[in-house]
């Protein structure tokens, strides 16, 4: 059996899978998926419908129905109906916004 998962972190495998949702960063799309396994740095998902044409450079993995438990992700790999995602850390994309001082537009 071919081993496609390259993660070395300890992972938790869900025997029956855990229902979750993928959602675009801008909220314009959402897809149901099954969380197959998870580690500190990423996860393996089974996608129930096609993700072709969706912007998967960055998206949210919603782990609760209220959306309060989530991870920001990027696509790592695709193998049929399964995808690997890498979790993005909170500071990964905030460098652009930190250049502007907080009180810059106080006089405007």
């Amino acid at each position: 059996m071919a081993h496609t998962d390259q993660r070395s972190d300890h992972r938790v495998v869900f025997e029956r899978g855990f229902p979750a949702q993928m959602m675009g960063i801008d909220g314009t799309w959402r897809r149901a998926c099954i969380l197959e396994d998870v580690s500190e740095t990423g996860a393996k998902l089974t996608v129930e419908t096609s993700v072709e044409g969706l912007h998967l450079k960055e998206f949210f993995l919603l782990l609760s129905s209220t959306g309060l438990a989530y991870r920001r992700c990027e696509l790592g790999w695709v193998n049929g109906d399964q995808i690997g995602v890498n979790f993005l850390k909170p500071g990964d994309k905030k460098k652009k916004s930190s250049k502007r001082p907080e009180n810059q537009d106080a006089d405007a």
Side-chain angles (χ1 to χ4, degrees):
M1 183 165 107
H3 185 47
T4 60
D5 199 333
Q6 302 297 316
R7 288 178 292 152
S8 59
D9 290 346
H10 172 74
R11 65 194 109 135
V12 176
V13 177
F14 299 101
E15 188 175 317
R16 296 183 183 164
F18 183 85
Q21 294 272 325
M22 297 166 53
M23 184 177 79
I25 289 292
D26 59 1
T28 58
W29 60 267
R30 192 181 270 224
R31 294 291 184 275
C33 62
I34 301 295
L35 183 62
E36 301 291 345
D37 71 43
V38 64
S39 73
E40 190 174 325
T41 59
K44 179 168 62 171
L45 310 173
T46 298
V47 183
E48 298 176 353
T49 58
S50 175
V51 294
E52 187 174 343
L54 297 179
H55 183 67
L56 296 175
K57 176 73 176 160
E58 187 175 346
F59 61 94
F60 290 114
L61 177 61
L62 305 177
L63 302 169
S64 71
S65 59
T66 60
L68 296 176
Y70 64 91
R71 291 282 190 194
R72 211 170 87 213
C73 304
E74 67 181 356
L75 181 65
W77 53 266
V78 177
N79 185 7
D81 65 347
Q82 291 189 329
I83 64 172
V85 299
N86 300 313
F87 296 143
L88 298 173
K89 295 177 184 163
D92 285 354
K93 295 286 182 175
K94 293 186 179 180
K95 292 177 184 173
K96 293 178 184 176
S97 63
S98 66
K99 291 180 182 177
R100 183 177 148 181
E102 289 182 23
N103 296 331
Q104 180 178 354
D105 59 353
D107 297 329

